[in-house]
Amino acid sequence: MLDFPCPMTQECNISYFDPLETVTQSASAFPDEPEPMTAKPKTILVADDEEDVLKLVGTNLKNAGFRVVDAKDGATALEKARSESPALVVLDLMLPGMPGSEVCKALRSDSVTARIPIIMLTAKAEESDRIVGLELGADDYITKPFSPRELVLRVKSVIRRSSGEPEVINPLQVEEIVVDPSRHQVMAKGKVVELTATEFKLLVILMERRGRVQNRERLLNDVWGYKTAIDTRTVDTHVRRLREKLGRAADCIETVRGFGYRIEENSGQARRPAPAGRR
């Protein structure tokens, strides 16, 4: 039985995709929950220059309850991301005119679109390509051929973690890093640092669990919502990006070789900032 409802038999059978590939392990990493009923469906922007890809991805996302807009080139993708304010962008790297990598950079550098989650969907399957994609600011990376069902599950997972409220309510401080979850703001050495939703959640978890080593598999589960270790390099890449954005303030994030990461308990005496007037 097919993993997805697909009335377009011809498109589903094109050699570009393998919808019957074994997805039991990868799909099991995502909670397969129905999208909650809302008055207004979330919008997904799908940017790809191949009509078959747009139809297949669009049909499956619509069947999952999303509103879908598409773009066939990089410039159009950037324009629609700004005008449509999508809940997520599915982005091909090899777009005509303006490649997906440049679109990703532009989205991340614009305050209006900086926090829109991005899933890269591309035929570039080398590990180096995956790392570059994540370093550019992508929240997830899927290679072609792909399972449409897994793509939908990943879209739901990324949206869920990007829109979820952090567990911590009060501001949290470690050395020169101050996080205010209620305002979704991070300050490092007195300057505001723009983080993606995934980077923000990763930082909050490390700060909340200071003194305790967080292995990569647990971070994949707690930050990304993946119940099995799909690709632990995803964690390494996001920690690297987080350190780059925090600059020297990130020295408190320690790598525990062969295991994971932690913020040491005595890093500048990790603390919550004192209320105004008591400092």
Side-chain angles (χ1 to χ4, degrees):
M1 180 179 294
L2 291 176
D3 283 330
F4 58 95
C6 181
M8 305 177 301
T9 306
Q10 291 182 345
E11 282 77 11
C12 294
N13 289 333
I14 56 178
S15 59
Y16 197 80
F17 299 99
D18 182 10
L20 292 177
E21 64 178 326
T22 302
V23 296
T24 53
Q25 290 184 349
S26 56
S28 65
F30 311 92
D32 192 2
E33 301 172 357
E35 194 70 15
M37 296 296 291
T38 58
K40 186 177 180 181
K42 292 182 175 67
T43 298
I44 308 296
L45 170 61
V46 182
D48 202 294
D49 62 334
E50 297 189 48
E51 190 66 31
D52 292 330
V53 177
L54 292 175
K55 287 183 179 180
L56 184 63
V57 174
T59 296
N60 281 272
L61 287 173
K62 288 175 183 176
N63 288 341
F66 294 104
R67 172 178 174 262
V68 179
V69 294
D70 57 45
K72 296 182 180 179
D73 60 76
T76 302
L78 192 56
E79 178 185 348
K80 289 191 175 182
R82 290 167 174 161
S83 63
E84 296 284 347
S85 299
L88 182 141
V89 177
V90 177
L91 181 65
D92 183 22
L93 282 179
M94 295 180 285
L95 292 173
M98 184 180 191
S101 57
E102 293 302 316
V103 175
C104 187
K105 283 191 221 178
L107 292 175
R108 287 293 178 246
S109 63
D110 187 337
S111 60
V112 175
T113 58
R115 291 178 181 169
I116 297 177
I118 298 172
I119 293 180
M120 286 187 173
L121 179 64
T122 175
K124 292 188 174 183
E126 296 296 324
E127 182 181 22
S128 58
D129 295 321
R130 181 186 295 269
I131 291 173
V132 169
L134 293 171
E135 287 181 338
L136 287 172
D139 295 89
D140 208 343
Y141 193 101
I142 301 176
T143 58
K144 301 174 182 176
F146 63 98
S147 160
R149 177 172 179 266
E150 180 180 347
L151 172 63
V152 171
L153 290 171
R154 289 202 184 206
V155 166
K156 290 181 179 180
S157 179
V158 172
I159 289 177
R160 186 160 40 243
R161 71 171 182 258
S162 66
S163 61
E165 291 296 324
E167 294 178 4
V168 62
I169 299 175
N170 298 319
L172 182 66
Q173 180 173 351
V174 173
E175 293 190 359
E176 296 179 283
I177 302 173
V178 180
V179 176
D180 186 346
S182 63
R183 299 171 60 191
H184 206 281
Q185 184 182 75
V186 176
M187 303 280 290
K189 291 184 176 291
K191 296 181 179 180
V192 175
V193 179
E194 291 291 337
L195 300 181
T196 66
T198 302
E199 293 163 350
F200 184 86
K201 188 171 184 179
L202 175 61
L203 178 60
V204 168
I205 285 178
L206 289 173
M207 292 177 72
E208 279 292 284
R209 300 172 183 174
R210 59 187 179 271
R212 291 175 285 168
V213 180
Q214 303 301 303
N215 66 42
R216 293 171 175 83
E217 289 76 13
R218 182 173 183 183
L219 289 172
L220 274 173
N221 183 23
D222 295 347
V223 178
W224 281 263
Y226 301 162
K227 294 183 179 179
T228 59
I230 295 175
D231 183 4
T232 56
R233 291 299 297 272
T234 296
V235 177
D236 298 333
T237 301
H238 277 77
V239 170
R240 186 183 307 116
R241 275 199 351 233
L242 187 59
R243 283 170 166 161
E244 289 173 356
K245 291 184 177 182
L246 294 173
R248 293 183 63 86
D251 290 347
C252 62
I253 301 176
E254 178 188 7
T255 300
V256 180
R257 190 175 299 276
F259 194 75
Y261 301 93
R262 73 177 169 192
I263 291 178
E264 292 191 47
E265 183 69 47
N266 60 354
S267 289
Q269 294 302 309
R271 61 196 181 281
R272 293 192 182 278
R278 295 179 58 186
R279 292 176 180 171

